Amino acid sequence: MRSHRRVTLPLCFAEALRRRAALRTTGYVSLLVAGAGLILIGFFPTDPVLGFPAGAPTTVTTIGTVHSLGALVVFVAFPVAAFAAVSRRAPGWSAFSVATGVLSLVAVGAFFAAVEGTAEGADSLAGLYERLPTLFIGLWQIAFAVRVRTAHAN
């Protein structure tokens, strides 16, 4: 049950930002797309890759492909939302949002490079690179929520 709450949080976050008029339509839609993508990848498990889990054959399945495409949507939609949060009135916030989007996309690119460049069963940094966008976007969402909440309290 907890995992369902976790994947629907971006949808709630998007709606809260919309209600506070804190994000343009592009950002709102991007967060909705990311939330829908998270729900999608929750229903479709990934295929084994790079020897994990140990002993599992590496095969490409339709279910795994849906998961991978959904993950790609998520990893693009969140940076788009960060880019949409840029505001001329808040240069520091804008720089943070742009940095978040760029770092997230760079980490996604590093993930694909690591997966393609790693031999089956060899050690790889792909798992780290896959998680970095989640860290960057998670911190951005927390900062955005605090920013909006603080601005509303004043």
Side-chain angles (χ1 to χ4, degrees), residues 7-21:
V7 299
T8 57
L9 282 175
L11 300 174
C12 297
F13 183 59
E15 183 57 22
L17 292 175
R18 185 195 66 77
R19 289 181 183 191
R20 301 280 184 167

Side-chain angles (χ1 to χ4, degrees), residues 50 114-115 118 122-128:
L50 298 177
V115 168
T118 303
D123 289 338
S124 173
L125 292 175
L128 171 67

Side-chain angles (χ1 to χ4, degrees), residues 75 79 83 99-113 129-130 132-133 136:
F75 285 131
F83 293 137
T100 298
V102 168
L103 288 171
S104 295
L105 292 173
V106 166
V108 169
F111 165 74
F112 284 115
Y129 297 142
E130 180 183 26
L132 283 176
F136 299 144

